[in-house]
Amino acid sequence: MKAVVYKGPRDVVVNNVPDAKIEKPTDVLVKITTTNICGSDLHMYEGRTSVEKGKIFGHENLGVVIEAGTAVERVKVGDRVCLPFNISCGYCENCERGLTGFCLTANPGNAGAAYGYAGMGPYNGGQAELLRVPYADFNCLVLPPGAEEKENDYVMLSDIFPTGYHATRLAGLQPGDSVVIYGAGPVGLMAAMSARIQGASKIMVVDTHKDRLALAEKIGAIPIDDTDQSGVDQILTHTDGHGADCGCECVGYQCCNRAGHEVPNLTMNNLVASVKATGGIGVVGVFMPEDPGAVDELAKKGQLAFNFGEFFTKGQRIGTGQCNVKLYNRNLAKLIAAGKANPSMIVSHELPLDQAADGYANFDARKDGWTKVVLKPGK
Ligand code: NAD
Ligand code: ZN
């Protein structure tokens, strides 16, 4: 089968590799029809992780079941399924509580498991023609009839739509709240859409990319361009000087403490400053235990200094971590089916799998107009 394979920093190729196959009776084999490039893939792509050469990337996957293991009962051959990026067993202590991003069976330890990701188990990704799906009865979200017409919407349920939603839940968003979101990438835009769905009164999205801010505006948010003027000051102006009721970090470590940022524009400090006293902050932007490219020694060890004193004085709360996709994906799917959510509005490029390297290079450069790339292995 063809698959997107990691060769080294900023070097991915589409190679012929051995076909994915069923390995355990609880697996299914999925023929991938849509698979996305994610901001999280860029951590590996840019060479900032320990990912091994030869790894097949791809954790945002959707396709059709073509074979089912002998122990699979619920999912059937022919079902169109969206796969949460978390691989989870469904029966460990964490999965039982809905914390499927921290499954203790699929990747023993604290990191959770995912398709095609550094440090998240031995699983290959779905930027390929075929994908092996473990614990299939638990993991597969079976999509409703007609889903093939809305694949670019449903595929967002594998990660970024639930992740954006998770950011707002970690932040404790309530109907009527104002919310500030740092980052107008795919995840930040999905946080904005999630805030709208939950009845936020004012949604403010901060970034420097005008094309991405325009999408935020389309979702109903106030775009805040902090290229020349402090984002924090603009948020305070929009919130009578008190700050937003809550805030979301949808940027991650790649933009903090890195060479080229002479004055690190730390999103955590900006959040503490632009969220009101007692407000909640949800961090879904990824911070890794190590960041070898960081400017200072502490950040190299994954230690991010932020204004903890101000955070404490303001009595704020913080929630962090990988999204537990299964907590949200079923209900978000119903919103898509009902025409009440259209996450595909952020898709800028639909490419055949063969053009994946181009997709990576342009999305990584955050080139104007390259907001979200979906790959179509069948085309
Ligand atoms: P992305 O990296 O393209 O988006 C980040 C956006 O933040 C960009 O538009 C960039 O211009 C903007 N930005 C950079 N510095 C900023 C600053 N100081 N202030 C405001 N905005 C700034 O891609 P993405 O797919 O949206 O991913 C965002 C983050 O979310 C990544 O770290 C990714 O790994 C993470 N993520 C986490 C989860 C999870 O489960 N927690 C899931 C998916 C992605
Ligand atoms: Zn992702």
Side-chain angles (χ1 to χ4, degrees), residues 48-359:
R48 284 186 270 115
T49 69
S50 57
V51 71
E52 68 272 23
K53 290 180 182 163
K55 186 93 174 172
I56 299 174
F57 283 178
H59 60 268
E60 301 192 359
N61 304 311
L62 184 155
V64 178
V65 176
I66 56 167
E67 191 184 341
T70 51
V72 175
E73 294 183 345
R74 183 178 69 91
V75 181
K76 305 276 181 270
V77 169
D79 282 349
R80 193 168 298 268
V81 292
C82 181
L83 292 327
F85 78 86
N86 325 109
I87 300 171
S88 49
C89 69
Y91 53 73
C92 74
E93 192 177 334
N94 286 348
C95 284
E96 272 181 356
R97 292 163 59 212
L99 308 175
T100 53
F102 303 87
C103 176
L104 297 167
T105 315
N107 186 23
N110 296 314
Y115 301 98
Y117 211 84
M120 298 182 80
Y123 308 98
N124 272 324
Q127 287 168 12
E129 291 174 304
L130 297 170
L131 177 69
R132 170 195 167 223
V133 176
Y135 312 106
D137 273 334
F138 186 64
N139 284 298
C140 291
L141 178 72
V142 178
L143 299 173
E148 61 272 26
E149 304 299 324
K150 285 188 171 184
E151 279 212 8
N152 288 357
D153 284 309
Y154 284 110
V155 72
M156 302 308 169
L157 296 172
S158 59
D159 182 348
I160 59 167
F161 193 14
T163 293
Y165 198 89
H166 191 50
T168 64
R169 298 317 316 139
L170 290 172
L173 177 87
Q174 298 295 323
D177 274 357
S178 58
V179 57
V180 53
I181 296 162
Y182 281 86
V187 171
L189 292 169
M190 290 298 100
M193 188 173 284
S194 301
R196 187 189 71 196
I197 288 165
Q198 292 167 85
S201 58
K202 191 177 275 190
I203 306 164
M204 296 157 283
V205 178
V206 187
D207 206 305
T208 52
H209 285 276
K210 292 184 177 36
D211 55 326
R212 294 178 172 204
L213 287 170
L215 286 169
E217 195 168 14
K218 225 172 175 180
I219 290 170
I222 301 171
I224 309 273
D225 187 339
D226 67 346
T227 311
D228 301 317
Q229 202 195 337
S230 149
V232 173
D233 288 351
Q234 294 179 67
I235 304 294
L236 292 176
T237 304
H238 280 291
T239 54
D240 298 327
H242 298 301
D245 291 312
C246 59
C248 302
E249 208 286 354
C250 302
V251 178
Y253 78 149
Q254 71 273 22
C255 297
C256 295
N257 276 315
R258 302 201 58 80
H261 287 217
E262 283 168 24
V263 182
N265 183 15
L266 291 175
T267 49
M268 280 309 300
N269 282 350
N270 289 343
L271 273 162
V272 170
S274 55
V275 169
K276 74 172 187 187
T278 73
I281 296 172
V283 181
V284 294
V286 162
F287 292 82
M288 293 274 189
E290 288 177 358
D291 183 3
V295 183
D296 68 72
E297 289 310 309
L298 278 179
K300 282 192 173 123
K301 290 188 257 172
Q303 298 182 17
L304 178 67
F306 77 102
N307 291 343
F308 188 79
E310 187 183 346
F311 174 74
F312 174 85
T313 304
K314 290 176 88 169
Q316 293 171 330
R317 291 167 294 104
I318 192 168
T320 64
Q322 301 283 354
C323 175
N324 306 297
V325 169
K326 278 185 65 75
L327 273 181
Y328 313 111
N329 66 354
R330 196 180 285 271
N331 270 27
L332 294 178
K334 291 179 191 169
L335 289 175
I336 292 172
K340 297 192 174 184
N342 59 335
S344 67
M345 56 92 64
I346 69 164
V347 173
S348 58
H349 292 79
E350 201 178 290
L351 303 178
L353 191 68
D354 284 334
Q355 290 175 29
D358 263 4

